[in-house]
Amino acid sequence: MKKLSTVFKILAILLSDVMCARVAYTYSAHEWGQKYAGWSAGPQVAFFLAIPYLIGMIVCILLAWFCKKRTAAK
Amino acid sequence: MTLSEKLYTLRKQHTLSQEQLAEVLGVSRQAVSKWETGQSVPDTEKLIAISEQYRISLDDLLKHDTLPQPAAPQTETAIPSEEDAKPKPVDQAAARIGRILGLLFCIGGILVLLIHAVLFFFFPAQYQLTGGSSMIMLDGNAIFMLLGAAAIILGAILFVRASKP
């Protein structure tokens, strides 16, 4: 259970890094698109991409906490 | 009555198979069989575990010639004993399967999100979520990502439910 807790913490960090990279890339692409390509949607739509990653991060953090609690209880 | 006969009789009284008793005591089925045929004798630790499992004293198990009469069936108002509260082998196997399934769903969902992100960086045009009008589209890519998130939630629920005592 302790190892699982560590694994979930690492996965949460990995998801956060990937989320930041993806949102940043899409934000800058949309910013360019709005400025030069006449796109109607602003760069803020990039933050919608964060939703599934945020769900994954929260679940990973909760599972890491749960596994740590179970280890302490044993 | 010898020890081997007592062990056999007690197991039959409690309607346990040799495999079930072996699993509860943490020994092999062959070990239980040898105890019951008199080829070997359980060690002290296992004797204590057997006496706790069958709720008889070590004196009854080792010294006396006969076994005590089995206890009367419990009424509905009887307080369950500590032995009844111990998880049965079938429950433990189901919990283990639940934990493994939960982990598989969770890690599978996370892998879906990570792989989708990696593919996006290599093929941005194919994996972006906005169409030609720069509006967010709920197409296959978005559904794929949401399914990944749903798999993570489902896996977490399965894992937590299976891990609870």
Side-chain angles (χ1 to χ4, degrees):
Chain A
M1 279 285 185
K2 198 175 176 185
K3 282 182 189 171
L4 267 178
S5 173
T6 311
V7 165
F8 281 121
K9 281 179 201 166
I10 292 170
L11 284 173
I13 293 170
L14 197 59
L15 278 173
S16 77
D17 290 342
V18 169
M19 176 189 76
C20 290
R22 185 119 188 234
V23 168
Y25 183 99
T26 311
Y27 187 95
S28 66
H30 274 262
E31 206 175 24
W32 181 93
Q34 195 182 37
K35 221 182 250 185
Y36 301 110
W39 288 3
S40 57
Q44 293 82 4
V45 298
F47 291 108
F48 282 113
L49 276 172
I51 295 170
Y53 292 100
L54 276 172
I55 293 171
M57 270 166 56
I58 289 167
V59 169
C60 282
I61 290 167
L62 287 174
L63 282 174
W65 170 78
F66 177 78
C67 291
K68 197 174 176 186
K69 219 180 160 196
R70 289 275 292 161
T71 312
K74 280 183 182 176
Chain B
M1 216 178 186
T2 61
L3 175 61
S4 57
E5 288 167 348
K6 285 182 191 174
L7 290 174
Y8 176 80
T9 307
L10 284 166
R11 184 173 64 77
K12 288 296 182 187
Q13 279 177 357
H14 287 75
T15 59
L16 287 172
S17 68
Q18 286 185 343
E19 288 86 0
Q20 285 171 326
L21 180 64
E23 198 165 348
V24 168
L25 297 176
V27 298
S28 63
R29 188 203 65 78
Q30 287 78 7
V32 175
S33 172
K34 282 187 177 177
W35 296 342
E36 292 181 358
T37 54
Q39 291 175 47
S40 68
V41 175
D43 60 23
T44 316
E45 198 186 303
K46 295 291 178 269
L47 280 170
I48 294 169
I50 290 167
S51 73
E52 285 171 357
Q53 171 69 24
Y54 293 137
R55 275 172 272 167
I56 66 168
S57 68
L58 281 169
D59 278 354
D60 287 330
L61 195 59
L62 297 170
K63 279 190 195 173
H64 302 151
D65 287 335
T66 56
L67 286 170
Q69 291 299 318
Q74 289 182 345
T75 60
E76 286 181 4
T77 55
I79 299 166
S81 68
E82 209 175 296
E83 295 297 322
D84 293 333
K86 281 189 182 171
K88 295 174 188 165
V90 175
D91 293 337
Q92 285 177 341
R96 194 158 173 253
I97 290 170
R99 276 200 299 270
I100 292 170
L101 264 178
L103 273 178
L104 279 174
F105 269 107
C106 233
I107 291 173
I110 291 169
L111 280 176
V112 158
L113 291 180
L114 292 175
I115 290 169
H116 195 271
V118 167
L119 289 172
F120 170 78
F121 286 114
F122 281 105
F123 309 103
Q126 289 175 13
Y127 287 90
Q128 65 185 359
L129 295 182
T130 53
S133 60
S134 75
M135 295 301 292
I136 290 273
M137 293 190 310
L138 207 62
D139 62 352
N141 286 318
I143 292 171
F144 192 58
M145 289 180 71
L146 288 173
L147 278 177
I152 295 171
I153 294 171
L154 178 67
I157 292 170
L158 276 174
F159 181 77
V160 168
R161 283 184 73 174
S163 297
K164 278 190 175 170

